[in-house]
Amino acid sequence: MNAIDAVNASLDRAGAVGAGREALNILLYQDAKASRADATEVDARDATPGPLHGVPVVIKDNIATLSLPTSCGSRILDGYVSPYEATAVSRLRAAGAVVVGKSNMDEFAMGSSTENSAFGPTKNPLAPDRVPGGSSGGSAAAVAAGIVRIALGSETGGSVRQPAAFCGVVGVKPTYGRVSRYGLVAYASSLDHVGVFGKSVDDAALGLETIAGLDPLDSTCAAEPVPQLRDAARGGLTGVVIGRPREFFPDDLDARVREKCDAAFEHFKRLGAEIRDVSLPHTKLAIEVYYIIAPAEASSNLARFDGVRYGLRLEGDGLRGMYEATRSNGFGAEVTRRILLGTYVLSAGYYDAYYRKAQQVRGLISRDYAGVFNSGVHLLFTPTTPTPAFLLGSKSDPYEMYLSDIFTCTANLAGVPAMSLPIGRVDGLPVGGQLIANHFDERQMFVAAYALERALGDDAHR
Amino acid sequence: MAVTVDDVRHIAALARLGLTDERAHTLVDELNTILRHMDVLSRVDTGNAPEVSGIGAAGAPLRPDSGEPTPLARARESFAPRMQDGFFLVPRLSTHEDGADAGAAS
Amino acid sequence: MTTTAATSSVWADRYEMVIGLEVHVHLKTATKLFCRCSTDFGAAPNRNTCPVCLALPGALPVLNEHAVDLAIRAGIALGCSIQSTSVFARKNYFYPDLPKGYQISQFDQPLALRGSVRIGTRTDGSPIVVGVTRVHMEEDAGKSVHDRFAGFTAVDLNRAGVPLAEIVSEPDMRGSSEAVAYLQAVKQILEYAAVSDVNMEEGSLRVDANISARRLGATKLGTKTELKNLNSFSGVARALDAEFDRQCAILDAGGRVEQQTMLWDERANEVRPARSKEGSHDYRYFPEPDLPPLIVSLDRIDGVKQALPELPAARRERYRREFSGLTDYDIEVLTSAAALGEYFEHVARASGDGKTSANWIMGEVLAALKSTGRSIAHFTVRPADLGALLGLVRDGVVSHSAAKQIFALMTQTGDSPRQIAERESLLLITDDAALAGWIAAAFAAHPAEAARYVSGERRLQGVLVGHVMKLSKGRADPKRVNQMLLARTDA
Ligand SMILES: [Mg+2]
Ligand SMILES: [Zn+2]
């Protein structure tokens, strides 16, 4: 299929489902004319079309694109258009993909519901009274609504996997350093990842394969060779050991979510895998560690939004007044809260008690994973979230909202790859199952994902 | 540990965030609620666990002292709030506000 | 509260000045520390900026290898031990010319530790040594221009991200003269090591001072203040003296010195407290998550050591060995600047006479440089030509006085000494016919003296030679003239 037809179909679909701000509010920015021009150019360019030729893609609003604004769902960057392009986007476009929109998100990726966007919440296309998850809710919804097969998101504590689970699509967070962060607007640099959404496991594999690999513009990007992830479709599970970490199956876990997970384990067993009970004892501290380290780094990363070189500027009393007017009006409540929290834990007298301590506990969490993977376990399987998508506006207490990252954020803290895929529905709401692998072992993860997707068939969405 | 409204004002000043009185007071409660949860960490025995910064132990890659900078697809004027004669303009600050070393890194 | 600088302190007999210095130098690289922008910050405002040094959303730093090597070189030259692992950290503060809202620097794990610099010798011959606490890498900020647009501060980020080495000394200096000696020694070492242009006027070398006063004999340090805005070595000395007097006056009145930042006002010749911003001293350092630790291999350190140019101390030693007749003073002057020493060595090699070369360079050459305001690097007289000139004098081709005329012309034209000597007919004349002519003329002009000489009055020979030299305008070869006069005498 040529690019222009694919892009037109995608644009029509976006209109039909009401992707705009007035309806589901999935896409913050679109430029049909520019997208069609790109498509025509790609059709003319690609003599031998690759697998991504003409594939429309949606990009989270915190990843730098040349054709559309990059506002991070924030008033402070409203309408800002980047003069350079993120590496991940360049690689998708070089492979023939065409950007058709920038997706809504929690402001600066701080949130788990996409309700913290300065431009209003995104509604879950499968249940418009519910959240799509977050912070990459717009990208997840764009795939769920059939606007695109592949979308880019970003993760700091679960912002790809959790919305993937809530929207019934596939979401992958690669190993830290597997995908360049160049052009991803930083929230918490040591936890930030570019992630990929796919309608299917194969879509996600194709997207990740394309953007992965060394980038001289990101000092934390690894030189590890990139595996052929799509070949993982032919891999089997015989002899593969899949761990069942007890901390991810607490007694109060929603019984129906537990059921779906047990069914998945049955499939794995039938396919020749060995299921082993394991423990990651420091998981219970992950939220606390995460909500010290992430805000600390954020308080520094967001200092550049000062009204001097780009973005919003509001005048006040002198320079000091300009800074304070710009930043207090430009940032929303949650971003302000995290900047203050992060500033506090780094400030004189508190650094050791909070930041250093959190980094040490983070070390123990990584050690938990290393221990399990060194004991002959190849993969872990868990629920992606404790519950399916919740109702819009139902979580007012910040800390309660933080708890929705509980099963996902340890993978960010340890830097190991993880992904969520649909494993069935509860009251018509999607449930996600999470696969976690050892550093740079995305291929093993995808072998299991392809296998489970095949085994579940339509049950994945029932 | 619990924060007071003065702590909140101090860190807000460090972060260049203007706060109304009532916002400052609600933030005291919000931050203390969060910090109360954080206190479990103080009870964890980390022994001599190494701090993890989460990034490559391979060491920082080094680039050659040559090459061209990433070009800007748009003029600085297209995204700058205020520019003149190639300078970014900000409200005048008296050279004494931050020491006359204005600009020189220390 | 301000104090006017006193040239010599009235407090010196009761109080002691304790000084530590922080020196920032630009590292000589083509591109910035974390991006590929040019380090030429003289370009049009913000011309040399990119996504990284503009701190555009999503941009990331990548470390410049040459900057690392130069910083290692500085560390080695200052006698430090290079750390195999050092860590970049973020120093967080808001300022319009600090684009990211933090400076990437090194904090608790710097690149180099524990060095020392010899700044002179005590009367008892023991060396005066200042300890170097640490040398670390960091990025420079941009420039804020406050007086160009009414009501606005103008920000130019060309300098933002230019690599710096920060050199922190121990509080080992006991007077403003020792502080200046330390600065001169550090400047000289870094210039020899070709790490930096170390030019305070052009801002490639900057100095902040920490100073405290204490009663003579006291062992614990007093409260220190930080002196900023020091624009010249002499300014450093005057600012230190002024601040010392201010502190002593407070202490002597039983007061307490407040720990604060003081600004030196060159024009008013006084120090003044900087209005410190509230909270501005809580920098919230933490490890830079965008950069893994800097790991320096032993191979890299060895490589830098191999490439390290000769340092001042080694060169002084070598001159003592290689050039006989040079005094310690000669050697001090000739090694004061790396380029001057290299010029001297060329001349000495070309002329084969170190002492004479030294005399000419410390006399004629330095005087010529002074009058023309030229640097030795751009001096019109090539060292080979000066060497050749000294050769002409040695071989009796030109007289010493003629050589001075020739040198003066060389500084103007840059021509070779022989060309000039011939053009200006300043070569000594050895041709017997010509000499005989002048001798005859001299005899004719002074018949009485000539007769007495010929009849044996030898002491008149000098007088007659003088007449001949005058007649020949100094060009007659005096050796040959003497021989020919002798031949005229009886017996
Ligand atoms: Mg410094
Ligand atoms: Zn740059």
Side-chain angles (χ1 to χ4, degrees):
Chain A
M1 184 172 184
N2 61 29
I4 189 64
D5 297 339
V7 165
N8 281 324
S10 174
L11 295 168
D12 295 346
R13 178 67 183 173
V17 300
R21 293 198 188 187
E22 68 294 342
L24 294 177
N25 197 19
I26 293 170
L27 299 178
L28 294 178
Y29 306 101
Q30 284 185 279
D31 183 341
K33 202 157 152 292
S35 297
R36 291 198 183 94
D38 291 351
T40 319
E41 190 188 320
V42 165
D43 279 328
R45 185 194 69 193
D46 293 356
T48 54
L52 262 181
H53 173 83
V55 174
V57 292
V58 158
I59 309 294
K60 189 179 182 179
D61 195 36
N62 63 345
I63 301 175
T65 49
L66 290 169
S67 57
L68 292 168
T70 300
S71 68
C72 301
S74 179
R75 183 172 176 223
I76 211 162
L77 281 178
D78 190 2
Y80 166 77
V81 185
S82 174
Y84 78 98
E85 187 175 59
T87 298
V89 175
S90 302
R91 289 180 180 181
L92 285 177
R93 298 206 307 120
V98 178
V99 177
V100 295
K102 295 300 285 288
S103 58
N104 198 11
M105 58 183 283
D106 287 298
E107 183 177 10
F108 286 104
M110 297 180 188
S112 308
S113 66
T114 314
E115 293 171 295
N116 293 340
S117 169
F119 310 111
T122 293
K123 299 174 186 64
N124 189 321
L126 282 67
D129 58 339
R130 295 183 179 263
V131 303
S135 63
S136 313
S139 285
V143 173
I147 298 165
V148 290
R149 272 168 50 206
I150 296 174
L152 290 189
S154 76
E155 270 228 9
T156 306
S159 287
V160 166
R161 286 162 291 158
Q162 186 253 20
F166 281 13
C167 293
V169 300
V170 177
V172 192
K173 178 205 87 74
T175 308
Y176 187 88
R178 176 65 94 183
V179 174
S180 171
R181 291 185 296 117
Y182 187 75
L184 168 64
V185 181
Y187 158 20
S189 312
S190 75
L191 296 162
D192 290 342
H193 301 64
V194 171
V196 180
F197 292 95
K199 190 78 175 173
S200 67
V201 171
D202 195 52
D203 295 329
L206 173 58
L208 181 53
E209 239 177 38
T210 308
I211 64 174
L214 183 65
D215 177 11
L217 297 177
D218 175 359
S219 300
T220 64
C221 194
E224 297 287 322
V226 180
Q228 292 302 308
L229 296 174
R230 299 185 84 194
D231 296 355
R234 287 190 248 100
L237 290 180
T238 320
V240 173
V241 179
I242 301 179
R244 184 180 188 280
R246 76 171 60 93
E247 293 76 12
F248 290 68
F249 296 89
D251 300 342
D252 58 358
L253 178 66
D254 183 315
R256 296 162 310 171
V257 169
R258 181 190 303 270
E259 248 170 61
K260 299 293 179 186
C261 291
D262 292 342
F265 277 117
E266 285 313 309
H267 284 298
F268 285 137
K269 256 188 255 169
R270 199 171 39 72
L271 293 164
E274 177 200 332
I275 310 303
R276 194 180 293 175
D277 284 315
V278 299
S279 172
L280 300 162
H282 294 93
T283 303
K284 59 178 183 303
L285 300 169
I287 292 291
E288 287 72 19
V289 170
Y290 176 86
Y291 280 96
I292 288 171
I293 293 171
E297 294 183 11
S299 69
S300 177
N301 283 328
L302 272 60
R304 68 187 57 197
F305 302 103
D306 58 5
V308 175
R309 298 165 314 287
Y310 47 79
L312 180 71
R313 172 191 292 194
L314 296 175
E315 299 305 335
D317 175 13
L319 177 69
R320 184 68 175 243
M322 186 277 279
Y323 279 150
E324 295 190 342
T326 299
R327 290 168 59 79
S328 47
N329 291 287
F331 293 135
E334 182 61 24
V335 173
T336 301
R337 195 178 292 121
R338 294 194 196 185
I339 289 174
L340 291 174
L341 182 59
T343 305
Y344 178 71
V345 298
L346 288 176
S347 62
Y350 301 101
Y351 181 91
D352 290 344
Y354 289 113
Y355 189 78
R356 172 166 284 130
K357 188 73 175 183
Q359 287 288 26
Q360 287 170 333
V361 177
R362 179 181 184 174
L364 298 178
I365 288 168
S366 315
R367 205 181 283 181
D368 285 352
Y369 274 105
V372 168
F373 288 124
N374 294 338
S375 72
V377 174
H378 301 104
L379 295 168
L380 301 173
F381 185 77
T382 79
T384 307
T385 58
T387 66
F390 45 87
L391 291 164
L392 284 155
S394 63
K395 293 200 174 175
S396 48
D397 168 37
Y399 193 78
E400 192 195 341
M401 181 71 84
Y402 298 172
L403 288 175
S404 47
D405 294 339
I406 187 142
F407 294 158
T408 48
C409 68
T410 57
N412 300 75
L413 290 166
V416 295
M419 67 191 287
S420 177
L421 66 162
I423 58 170
R425 298 201 176 178
V426 167
D427 302 335
L429 298 175
V431 173
Q434 172 172 240
L435 284 160
I436 306 172
N438 203 352
H439 291 103
F440 297 106
D441 200 6
E442 283 88 354
R443 191 175 187 289
Q444 182 64 265
M445 184 169 78
F446 272 91
V447 167
Y450 273 109
L452 181 60
E453 183 184 54
R454 261 197 313 271
L456 285 169
D458 295 343
D459 290 349
H461 301 283
R462 265 207 293 259
Chain B
M1 278 174 266
V3 296
T4 66
V5 72
D6 290 341
D7 296 329
V8 169
R9 293 200 180 293
H10 173 64
I11 55 181
L14 283 176
R16 299 296 187 272
L17 289 164
L19 297 179
T20 64
D21 282 358
E22 56 154 347
R23 186 90 181 85
H25 282 93
T26 44
L27 275 162
V28 171
D29 301 335
E30 290 174 354
L31 293 183
N32 281 329
T33 314
I34 297 165
L35 288 169
R36 219 168 297 122
H37 291 282
M38 304 309 183
D39 286 343
V40 302
L41 295 182
S42 62
R43 297 191 287 278
V44 182
D45 172 18
T46 46
N48 45 20
E51 286 178 49
V52 170
S53 67
I55 50 181
L62 301 178
R63 62 167 181 87
D65 181 28
S66 59
E68 288 302 307
T70 309
L72 298 181
R74 282 177 188 73
R76 292 155 186 82
E77 285 76 3
S78 73
F79 50 79
R82 180 156 196 165
M83 276 193 110
Q84 192 171 336
D85 304 351
F87 291 94
F88 297 102
L89 295 194
V90 297
R92 172 73 152 281
L93 60 137
S94 80
T95 45
H96 294 308
E97 176 174 336
D98 189 51
D101 61 329
S106 60
Chain C
M1 159 193 34
T2 63
T3 308
T4 302
T7 44
S8 71
S9 178
V10 299
W11 303 100
D13 57 342
R14 274 175 300 152
Y15 290 90
E16 176 178 54
M17 197 185 316
V18 177
I19 306 160
L21 295 175
E22 289 175 16
V23 176
H24 289 82
V25 295
H26 278 149
L27 298 171
K28 265 192 208 172
T29 58
T31 67
K32 294 183 179 181
L33 185 54
F34 297 119
C35 64
R36 291 168 296 184
C37 289
S38 162
T39 50
D40 166 22
F41 52 83
N46 293 299
R47 173 67 49 77
N48 291 331
T49 58
C50 74
V52 176
C53 55
L54 285 170
L56 294 185
L60 295 168
V62 183
L63 189 53
N64 180 336
E65 176 169 36
H66 189 50
V68 171
D69 287 342
L70 289 177
I72 293 171
R73 191 189 285 188
I76 294 171
L78 294 166
C80 298
S81 59
I82 305 302
Q83 306 302 295
S84 60
T85 299
S86 59
V87 173
F88 285 96
R90 292 185 181 183
K91 181 181 184 180
N92 296 283
Y93 65 96
F94 282 85
Y95 204 78
D97 53 33
L98 188 71
K100 297 185 294 297
Y102 55 85
Q103 177 196 29
I104 303 179
S105 181
Q106 294 187 305
F107 182 50
D108 52 5
Q109 289 176 262
L111 176 68
L113 290 170
R114 293 179 306 274
S116 67
V117 175
R118 188 178 180 285
I119 65 170
T121 319
R122 293 204 177 69
T123 44
D124 66 1
S126 64
I128 307 173
V129 174
V130 173
V132 173
T133 313
R134 56 186 280 159
V135 177
H136 71 252
M137 305 176 72
E138 61 183 30
E139 59 181 336
D140 205 346
K143 275 193 173 130
S144 289
V145 182
H146 302 289
D147 50 14
R148 180 172 170 135
F149 302 97
F152 293 96
T153 289
V155 179
D156 173 7
L157 297 175
N158 284 343
R159 197 181 64 185
V162 169
L164 291 169
E166 178 173 345
I167 300 150
V168 182
S169 87
E170 291 291 302
D172 287 350
M173 287 151 278
R174 292 292 174 269
S176 52
S177 54
E178 286 193 0
V180 170
Y182 168 80
L183 290 172
Q184 274 156 348
V186 168
K187 180 187 197 314
Q188 197 185 54
I189 288 167
L190 296 180
E191 184 208 356
Y192 269 66
V195 161
S196 169
D197 294 331
V198 286
N199 183 324
M200 210 162 178
E201 287 61 42
E202 291 161 17
S204 58
L205 180 151
R206 297 196 294 264
V207 181
D208 298 332
N210 292 307
I211 168 175
S212 62
R214 65 180 173 194
R215 280 206 169 277
L216 284 173
T219 50
K220 91 181 255 296
L221 292 171
T223 308
K224 69 179 183 189
T225 58
E226 187 178 23
L227 273 178
K228 285 181 171 287
N229 198 34
L230 306 170
N231 303 321
S232 68
F233 285 6
S234 68
V236 170
R238 282 175 290 129
L240 286 168
D241 290 333
E243 175 59 6
F244 178 63
D245 288 356
R246 187 189 69 91
Q247 290 187 13
C248 291
I250 294 171
L251 295 173
D252 215 58
R256 186 183 281 106
V257 173
E258 185 195 343
Q259 174 147 14
Q260 62 183 334
T261 299
M262 306 295 292
L263 300 180
W264 169 243
D265 184 330
E266 185 83 47
R267 256 181 278 88
N269 210 50
E270 65 187 26
V271 288
R272 165 172 351 101
R275 194 190 312 160
S276 56
K277 289 188 283 109
E278 171 240 346
S280 64
H281 288 311
D282 190 346
Y283 291 124
R284 290 156 288 136
Y285 282 98
F286 71 103
E288 165 59 281
D290 287 330
L291 290 168
L294 171 58
I295 294 172
V296 179
S297 69
L298 290 174
D299 290 357
R300 179 175 294 277
I301 296 173
D302 290 343
V304 173
K305 277 196 182 125
Q306 301 313 321
L308 186 67
E310 180 180 52
L311 297 179
R315 178 170 291 181
R316 285 190 283 268
E317 226 0 87
R318 182 165 60 81
Y319 283 11
R320 259 180 214 97
R321 285 198 315 273
E322 289 183 4
F323 303 105
S324 58
L326 293 190
T327 67
D328 285 358
Y329 176 73
D330 295 340
I331 291 174
E332 276 308 316
V333 175
L334 292 172
T335 57
S336 58
L340 186 63
E342 273 124 41
Y343 189 92
F344 159 72
E345 291 183 50
H346 270 92
V347 176
R349 236 175 282 120
S351 71
D353 182 345
K355 178 60 180 173
T356 306
S357 303
N359 294 343
W360 271 79
I361 288 166
M362 293 166 66
E364 270 67 17
V365 172
L366 289 185
L369 290 177
K370 205 154 190 290
S371 65
T372 59
R374 278 236 176 75
S375 78
I376 188 75
H378 306 98
F379 189 39
T380 37
V381 178
R382 289 177 298 277
D385 289 341
L386 178 54
L389 177 61
L390 303 192
L392 295 179
V393 177
R394 180 198 55 219
D395 302 340
V397 181
V398 302
S399 70
H400 187 73
S401 57
K404 298 211 168 179
Q405 300 173 51
I406 293 170
F407 178 80
L409 292 165
M410 287 166 75
T411 60
Q412 293 156 24
T413 61
D415 293 344
S416 83
R418 190 170 275 285
Q419 284 173 332
I420 294 172
E422 280 160 2
R423 194 172 62 225
E424 306 294 321
S425 51
L426 289 165
L427 293 170
L428 284 179
I429 292 173
T430 50
D431 158 50
D432 285 4
L435 297 178
W438 280 314
I439 291 172
F443 277 34
H446 308 280
E449 288 166 347
R452 283 155 57 196
Y453 173 71
V454 170
S455 60
E457 218 175 306
R458 289 290 172 77
R459 54 184 188 75
L460 286 173
Q461 180 161 336
V463 178
L464 289 164
V465 172
H467 292 315
V468 171
M469 292 314 286
K470 192 176 277 104
L471 285 165
S472 71
K473 301 194 187 64
R475 290 151 61 208
D477 175 5
K479 265 206 257 73
R480 185 65 189 139
V481 172
N482 277 297
Q483 291 167 357
M484 291 171 71
L485 284 172
L486 274 174
R488 295 291 206 92
T489 60
D490 314 337

